[in-house]
Amino acid sequence: MERRVVIIEDERDVARLLEFNLKGAGYAVDWASTGDEGFATIKAKSPDVVLLDLMLPDTSGYAVCKRIRADNALADTGVLMLTAKGEPEDRIMGLEVGADDYVVKPFVVREVVLRVTALANRIAERRARSTTSTGPVLKAGTIELDPVTHDVRINGQLTQLRPLEYKLLHLLVSDPGRVFSREELLEQVWEMRGDINTRTVDVHVRRLRVSLGPAADVIETVHGFGYRAKRDG
């Protein structure tokens, strides 16, 4: 089956360059120049991956990404943000609203095509796994997390987490008792290294605990070191 990409980019020259190279790599490509037009195209075409510019004439890429993630029918759609904003805080915000990857302009087109392919492959593998197996369920206290379907249940009740909350919880419960430093969490969850304010981690742990409600005590603070998931027993 032919894979499809929707480009949402108001700079036509940039969009044409991406379209030409993606078609050369075997993708079907649709283009939209505004957020509203782009979201309508996504709904109509059900692409594997969306290349989403951050600064659009009618809205922001953040807002479009939020709309995609709020639509259950688009749950498996990959989102790769393209933006001239390269500050760590901008990338964190993009990942927080549900982007899967983030490329800063000016970019190397070949790299973008490779990133699109890698993302499309991950999505295809996840879809294949979800149709053949429910996967090993991770448990911590009253929390059950399915790494294949990304379902999170607390006391058997399905709980909705934001993408970064899910990634943070998954990492912690995958190795109960292990203490992860803030720097490790930034690197493994946010894929960021270097001199970045680690308070970002504290803010998201607080948000995760709020989302977990009565199960929040599963996430423990190890003062002076970082965070861990409580080990049963």
Side-chain angles (χ1 to χ4, degrees), residues 69-168:
R69 293 302 178 228
D71 192 319
N72 290 333
L74 302 175
D76 281 338
T77 304
V79 177
L80 195 160
M81 282 189 170
L82 299 173
T83 177
K85 294 186 174 184
E87 295 300 317
E89 292 77 10
D90 297 312
R91 184 179 178 188
I92 287 171
M93 186 177 296
L95 296 172
E96 183 177 338
V97 298
D100 298 284
D101 203 352
Y102 198 100
V103 176
V104 178
K105 299 177 180 177
F107 50 76
V108 177
V109 179
R110 179 60 179 160
E111 179 188 356
V112 175
V113 174
L114 290 173
R115 285 176 179 263
V116 167
T117 299
L119 181 53
N121 287 340
R122 291 202 304 271
I123 291 167
E125 290 169 4
R126 187 167 67 227
R127 287 171 178 169
R129 287 197 305 266
S130 66
T131 60
T132 59
S133 171
T134 58
V137 174
L138 302 176
K139 296 183 180 181
T142 59
I143 299 172
E144 294 183 348
L145 184 151
D146 190 322
V148 174
T149 64
H150 289 193
D151 286 342
V152 177
R153 286 181 165 79
I154 299 175
N155 289 317
Q157 299 298 312
L158 194 62
T159 300
Q160 295 295 323
L161 298 181
R162 301 174 77 170
L164 272 182
E165 291 174 344
Y166 173 85
K167 290 179 69 176
L168 182 57

